Amino acid sequence: MVKKLVYIIDDKTYEVEVTFKRIKRLYLTFKDNKFIFRVPYFTSEKSLRKMLDKYARKLLKRTNFIPAYGDDYVYIFGEKEILKKGYNQEIIKEELKESLYKYCLKRLREIEVEMNISSPYKLKIKDVKSKFGSNSKATHTIVIALNMVHFAHPIIDSVIYHELAHHFHFDHSKAFYRTLLTYCPNYYKYRKMCIRRIYR
């Protein structure tokens, strides 16, 4: 069951889409310029508006970002590059993928030495939106999201450090973050930049 509401904040009106499900908790996201709820059956509108009052500004701030692509530009490694009119986005994407692979492979090998990892990881670049990177224990492969190509080198490095820290701890425990922060002290700063799409 889906219900539509409107929510006004700072004199701006937003659509609110509420999907009722057989779940225990309320979930709220902001996507495509609307607030999206997944909530348990019989959740009251008052509860929804209370949650919006608490989190709406944070969600809007987090999603107020500069697009990586424009009509005539693209961000590459944190720099705004001007593109010729009528550029082919698919061709650009392949070029970006190749550039990111070359950079990440070089840094992967350097960081493996720095972290005393003796068995080199395979590297893949994938066009995924849900995460910045991943580490597959089964295939000994590091995956870096293609959209990381838009970020400055230290931000990309922070993702590589994160995934290689999983070589020692395959969780997000305190021990994992101790290892990660030993090698990448500015990790939390760079992660915020990834989330907010601050490219440099």
Side-chain angles (χ1 to χ4, degrees):
M1 176 183 160
V2 178
K3 183 177 180 180
K4 304 279 187 180
L5 303 170
V6 293
Y7 183 71
I8 300 168
I9 183 169
D10 300 329
D11 298 321
K12 195 167 179 182
T13 303
Y14 294 93
E15 182 185 338
V16 181
E17 183 181 287
V18 186
T19 303
F20 294 90
K21 294 192 163 197
R22 199 172 287 173
I23 54 177
K24 292 183 179 180
R25 294 177 56 199
L26 283 76
Y27 296 92
L28 172 63
T29 56
F30 184 78
K31 190 178 179 183
D32 299 327
N33 211 36
K34 66 181 174 184
F35 292 99
I36 301 169
F37 273 109
R38 286 186 299 125
V39 301
Y41 288 110
F42 310 114
T43 302
S44 69
E45 187 175 324
K46 185 178 178 181
S47 299
L48 300 176
R49 293 195 178 278
K50 190 175 177 181
M51 196 167 179
L52 283 166
D53 290 342
K54 188 173 181 180
Y55 294 109
R57 276 193 179 84
K58 288 180 185 176
L59 284 171
L60 288 170
K61 188 177 178 182
R62 197 180 294 170
T63 53
N64 184 20
F65 55 80
I66 300 165
Y69 282 95
D71 291 336
D72 64 347
Y73 74 87
V74 61
Y75 277 89
I76 304 173
F77 297 130
E79 299 294 334
K80 190 176 184 179
E81 302 285 339
I82 303 303
L83 299 169
K84 291 178 182 177
K85 281 188 178 179
Y87 70 91
N88 184 313
Q89 193 162 336
E90 287 307 308
I91 291 172
I92 293 287
K93 191 180 275 191
E94 283 306 309
E95 290 173 358
L96 294 179
K97 190 173 182 177
E98 188 179 331
S99 296
L100 183 61
Y101 182 85
K102 284 179 182 175
Y103 176 77
C104 287
L105 186 62
K106 176 178 177 288
R107 288 300 289 138
L108 183 61
R109 296 295 171 252
E110 291 168 350
I111 294 169
E112 284 169 342
V113 171
E114 185 185 345
M115 296 178 76
N116 295 310
I117 297 170
S118 58
S119 49
Y121 275 82
K122 288 178 272 185
L123 173 68
K124 287 185 180 177
I125 306 297
K126 287 191 176 179
D127 192 4
V128 291
K129 302 288 189 283
S130 57
K131 53 180 80 173
F132 307 123
S134 63
N135 181 327
S136 170
K137 195 173 186 177
T139 61
H140 203 66
T141 302
I142 299 292
V143 173
I144 302 295
L146 178 57
N147 63 15
M148 289 309 302
V149 76
H150 305 303
F151 294 89
H153 292 141
I155 303 171
I156 298 170
D157 290 356
S158 73
V159 175
I160 298 172
Y161 278 114
H162 179 113
E163 299 314 330
L164 287 179
H166 282 306
H167 179 81
F168 305 100
H169 311 281
F170 247 90
D171 55 19
H172 289 103
S173 61
K174 287 182 181 178
F176 166 82
Y177 282 106
R178 271 197 302 272
T179 299
L180 175 56
L181 294 170
T182 298
Y183 294 101
C184 186
N186 291 324
Y187 174 75
Y188 290 123
K189 172 190 165 185
Y190 293 141
R191 180 163 177 78
K192 278 183 185 176
M193 292 173 80
C194 285
I195 291 167
R196 294 175 184 172
R197 300 193 202 180
I198 300 167
Y199 303 115
R200 62 172 305 106

